[in-house]
Amino acid sequence: MIVKKMVLSLFIVALIIISACSSGKDTKSVESPYFGGSLGLVAKVEDIGLINTQTQKQEVFEDESFPISVLMNNKGEYTIPANSVKLSVKGISPSDFTGIDFFKTNTKDVEKISEALKEGGEETVFFGDAQYKGVVGTFYDANVYVEYIYPYESYIAIPRVCYKGDPKDKGVCNLDEVKPAFISAGPIGLATVVQRPAGKGRITMEIPIRNLGATQDGKVKAYDFDDFTPLYDQVAFQVQQPGWTCTARGNPNVARMVKNSDVVILCRYDNIGEKEIFTSQLDIKLTYFYKDFTTTKIRIRENLK
C-alpha cells in the first residue's frame, strides 16, 4: 500500500512538471543581476581615542586638541568619483575652534561593492586637530555633525517584459501581471513592478520607487544645481532602451517623491507589431545627489591647572 502511494505521488509530481513545461510559460525563477540593499555611502565620525573610563564619554581638556575624521564606506553598487563628495563640519562654530578645515572632499574613487570587494570601498577624510579654549563652567559639550553630499546612480532591471501585438493572445507571456524587477544597491528602493496592456501593440510598465536611505534625514535631489527641500525628494531617470517613453506625474525627466511614499515611473511602448510575441529586458537608470550626516559628542573639560 505504501509503495502504491509513493508511485502515485511521483506520478502526480511528474504530471505537474510536464504540464508546466507544455503550458508555454517560463516557470524558472529569475535571479537578480545586482547584490541589492538600501545603503549608498555610509559615513561615521571616528572616535577620538580618549574615553573617560568612569563616564564612558569621549573627553578632552581644553588645552588638548582632538582629531576630527570621518570614515566613509560605499555599501552600494555605484563607484563614487574622486573629488565629488562634499563634506562639511556643522554643529560647532568656526570662531570657537582652531585647527579645523570645515570643508573637505574625497581624494580618490570610493569603489562600489563587488565580488572582489564585498564590503565596498573606504576612505578616511581628516579635518584636522581641533582645539577649544574658554570653557565656561566645568565643561563644554561639542556636538560635531558632519554633513556629506554625494552623487549616486541606481539601476533598475526588469528582465521579462512581455511584448505582444495582440492582447488577446494567451501564448508565451502575460501582458497583465506583476513582473520580476531588481534594483542595484543604493538608497533608492524599488516596489512591486506591474505590466499592463494598453491596447493593440501597446504596453505600459508601472515602476514605483522610494527613498530608503540609512537615516530618516537622508534627502535626495535630482541635479547638482538643485536645492534640497524638506517637502519632497527628487531623482532624475532615463530609460535605456529605444522606443519607450517614461514619465513620473507627467514629468519626463524627474521623479518627485513625498516622504515615506512611492512615486510611480510610468513607461509606455507603442510599436509592437501585430504578430510579435517575445520577452525582453527593460532598464532604467536613476541619477541623483544624496545628503546625509553623521554625528558625535565630545566633552571638553575645564583645565584646572
Side-chain angles (χ1 to χ4, degrees):
M1 187 69 178
I2 295 175
V3 174
K4 286 183 178 180
K5 287 183 178 180
M6 290 178 64
V7 171
L8 180 60
S9 298
L10 289 171
F11 174 76
I12 292 172
V13 170
L15 184 62
I16 291 171
I17 293 172
I18 293 170
S19 298
C21 292
S22 62
S23 66
K25 295 182 181 180
D26 187 357
T27 58
K28 296 178 182 178
S29 62
V30 182
E31 294 186 16
S32 174
Y34 304 119
F35 290 96
S38 62
L39 300 179
L41 186 65
V42 179
K44 181 181 183 300
V45 180
E46 296 190 293
D47 292 341
I48 64 173
L50 298 169
I51 304 293
N52 185 316
T53 56
Q54 293 181 333
T55 64
Q56 296 302 308
K57 296 180 183 293
Q58 297 187 96
E59 293 186 359
V60 296
F61 285 102
E62 61 179 315
D63 60 349
E64 297 176 324
S65 63
F66 58 91
I68 296 180
S69 61
V70 170
L71 175 62
M72 300 187 301
N73 183 200
N74 189 357
K75 305 298 289 185
E77 291 180 80
Y78 172 71
T79 293
I80 302 170
N83 304 307
S84 65
V85 184
K86 299 175 182 178
L87 301 104
S88 54
V89 176
K90 297 181 180 294
I92 58 176
S93 172
S95 62
D96 292 339
F97 287 83
T98 60
I100 307 174
D101 188 347
F102 277 75
F103 301 95
K104 283 282 192 175
T105 187
N106 57 316
T107 59
K108 59 183 180 181
D109 292 352
V110 189
E111 295 184 46
K112 65 182 181 180
I113 59 174
S114 63
E115 288 288 351
L117 198 64
K118 293 186 182 296
E119 298 302 317
E122 293 184 349
E123 182 174 351
T124 299
V125 177
F126 180 60
F127 291 86
D129 291 310
Q131 188 166 2
Y132 178 89
K133 289 188 177 180
V135 172
V136 177
T138 58
F139 65 85
Y140 168 75
D141 282 338
N143 294 294
V144 179
Y145 290 81
V146 177
E147 178 186 273
Y148 57 104
I149 300 169
Y150 59 95
Y152 222 69
E153 294 183 4
S154 297
Y155 311 102
I156 296 171
I158 309 168
R160 286 187 184 167
V161 177
C162 180
Y163 293 78
K164 185 182 296 187
D166 183 0
K168 293 182 291 186
D169 192 317
K170 302 300 181 183
V172 180
C173 57
N174 291 328
L175 289 174
D176 193 359
E177 67 178 2
V178 172
K179 294 294 182 181
F182 310 97
I183 190 167
S184 58
I188 302 300
L190 178 67
T192 302
V193 172
V194 179
Q195 177 174 357
R196 302 193 189 281
K200 278 192 174 183
R202 299 175 179 176
I203 55 175
T204 61
M205 302 297 301
E206 299 171 7
I207 307 165
I209 60 172
R210 173 184 288 205
N211 179 5
L212 294 179
T215 71
Q216 293 296 314
D217 298 297
K219 296 299 298 176
V220 194
K221 65 179 183 178
Y223 303 109
D224 196 14
F225 52 79
D226 289 341
D227 294 323
F228 290 103
T229 170
L231 301 178
Y232 52 79
D233 297 316
Q234 292 192 136
V235 302
F237 61 87
Q238 184 179 29
V239 64
Q240 302 297 287
Q241 281 77 23
W244 285 88
T245 58
C246 299
T247 61
R249 296 189 174 125
N251 193 315
N253 302 303
V254 173
R256 178 176 292 183
M257 300 169 283
V258 179
K259 188 173 183 180
N260 297 325
S261 65
D262 298 338
V263 62
V264 174
I265 299 174
L266 181 64
C267 294
R268 179 167 172 160
Y269 191 90
D270 292 335
N271 302 307
I272 307 173
E274 186 177 352
K275 302 295 185 180
E276 288 186 299
I277 304 177
F278 61 93
T279 62
S280 186
Q281 181 159 307
L282 176 63
D283 298 288
I284 307 287
K285 181 171 76 170
L286 309 177
T287 58
Y288 49 93
F289 290 80
Y290 206 87
K291 179 175 75 171
D292 218 328
F293 73 90
T294 175
T295 183
T296 192
K297 180 185 287 187
I298 299 163
R299 176 159 292 184
I300 303 168
R301 288 196 172 276
E302 178 188 20
N303 188 352
L304 300 177
K305 293 182 181 179

